Amino acid sequence: ADVTGVTDSTNIIAAITANGLVVLGPGTYYMSSTAGPLATNQWVVCMPGVLINWLGTGDCFRFVDTSTYTTRTTQGGGIIGRPIIDGTSDGAGSTAVHAGDILQLHVDVAVQNFSKSGDIGVHFDNQNYWTEQAVASVGTNNCTLDVVFDCGGATTSAGSFDRGVFSIYLSHTTFTGDCITWQNGAFQVGGSLLVQGNINSSSSSFTHSVFTITGSAPAGHPS
């Protein structure tokens, strides 16, 4: 991978798929294709000083596991080391990290400038099973939607983000999008949710919210 940010570093996808692990050293990387889908026990480990510029459309990193939840022999997976993922040059509707369905998921990232229409900083999304016992620390700056908890539609997942520890740090110089969104029946039980941050003042009323609950629970989910 090119640490100077000149050459597309999408080749890290092959490294993760082949080895289950990629370690990124300090530097600036640019990516134009999604790293993923990555599954259980696949990791992106970043040393201090990693900046990733996302130039594509859609997910920069995608973690999802469609295997049978109760028969997996390993757990965990995710992206750690607090890289900065920047969406300044992304296509509308992009996401820095889209992750779910993995028991003991770990996410430790800072995301910024995912500010176009439909952009999301971090999208926690169960489409198949659960994301229980997750540990996540997310810093956001200038995002349309900072963090979304979602249930993508599978009736087996029941929208569960149970027994997880989520720490979210927000920064909005302009309050142009909702901060924490729970949608489509997603919920959290038996864990913790810490939200801290700063939103700039305004002479007019804000039209967005720090916390939003929206959408409709799919069939088979608690409403």
Side-chain angles (χ1 to χ4, degrees), residues 9 21 39 46 48 55 61 89 97 105 109 128 134 137 149 151 156 163 184 198 213 218:
S9 294
L21 170 71
C46 300
L55 276 67
F61 290 94
S89 301
V97 180
L105 173 73
V109 295
N128 302 283
S137 179
F149 293 88
C151 180
T156 53
R163 293 172 292 282
N184 300 326
N198 190 42
I213 299 175

Side-chain angles (χ1 to χ4, degrees), residues 164-218:
V165 178
F166 294 89
S167 301
I168 300 169
Y169 306 92
L170 311 167
S171 178
H172 280 268
T173 54
T174 56
F175 198 13
T176 55
D178 295 335
C179 297
I180 312 296
T181 302
W182 296 85
Q183 66 186 30
N184 300 326
F187 62 89
Q188 181 183 7
V189 175
S192 66
L193 174 64
L194 169 70
V195 179
Q196 297 184 358
N198 190 42
I199 295 169
N200 201 6
S201 60
S202 174
S203 58
S204 58
S205 298
F206 289 131
T207 58
H208 298 284
S209 302
V210 175
F211 291 99
T212 302
I213 299 175
T214 189
S216 300

Side-chain angles (χ1 to χ4, degrees), residues 79-167:
I79 178 170
I80 57 178
R82 205 67 168 188
I84 299 172
I85 306 175
D86 191 292
T88 300
S89 301
D90 71 352
S94 289
T95 300
V97 180
H98 184 185
D101 306 301
I102 295 175
L103 180 63
Q104 298 173 357
L105 173 73
H106 278 56
V107 174
D108 178 18
V109 295
V111 298
Q112 63 186 26
N113 301 324
F114 281 80
S115 56
K116 298 181 179 65
S117 176
D119 279 4
I120 302 173
V122 176
H123 188 183
F124 294 109
D125 181 19
N126 292 329
Q127 295 188 353
N128 302 283
Y129 293 100
W130 302 276
T131 308
E132 295 184 354
Q133 303 176 27
V135 177
S137 179
V138 178
T140 70
N141 181 42
N142 191 34
C143 294
T144 301
L145 294 172
D146 293 275
V147 177
V148 173
F149 293 88
D150 197 0
C151 180
T155 58
T156 53
S157 70
S160 172
F161 293 91
D162 296 358
R163 293 172 292 282
V165 178
F166 294 89
S167 301

